[in-house]
Amino acid sequence: ADLAVRADRDQLFRVLLNLARNAVESGANSVTISAHNGNNRVVIDVADDGPGLPPKARDNLFRPFAGSARPGGTGLGLAIAREIVRAHGGDIALGHSGAQGTLFQLSLPA
C-alpha cells in the first residue's frame, strides 16, 4: 500500500508482460515480480528461474533489431520497454543473468 508510481497502467503492463513473456519463452518455469521503495523511487524487480541470457543478447539488450535471443525474434521488445520506462522518468536495467536466472530492474519516480 505504500508503493505508488504515476504511470500509464497499460504501458507499464506492456513492459512487465514483455519481460515475463521473454522469460517464459527462454525456458523459465517461474517469474516473480516484486517492488520496493528505493531513494525516492519505486524499484520493480522482474526475476525468473530461466537459463540466463546468452552473451549476444546481453551485449545488445536494448538495441533495436540486435538484442533478440530467439530465432524469429525482432529484438524490439526490450528497446520499446526501455523507451516506455524512460518516458515515465525511469529506467530499466539488467540486474544479473546466469544459470540461476535473470533479473531486470525498473526504477520509476515515486
Side-chain angles (χ1 to χ4, degrees), residues 40-53:
N40 293 324
R41 310 210 39 95
V42 172
V43 178
I44 302 171
D45 293 336
V46 181
D48 70 59
D49 64 352
L53 295 166

Side-chain angles (χ1 to χ4, degrees), residues 7 12 15 21 25 29 31-32 39 42 49 55 76 78 81 89 91:
L12 187 55
V15 169
R21 182 182 298 131
E25 289 177 355
N29 292 311
V31 177
T32 303
N39 215 12
V42 172
D49 64 352
L76 286 174
L78 287 176
D91 206 355

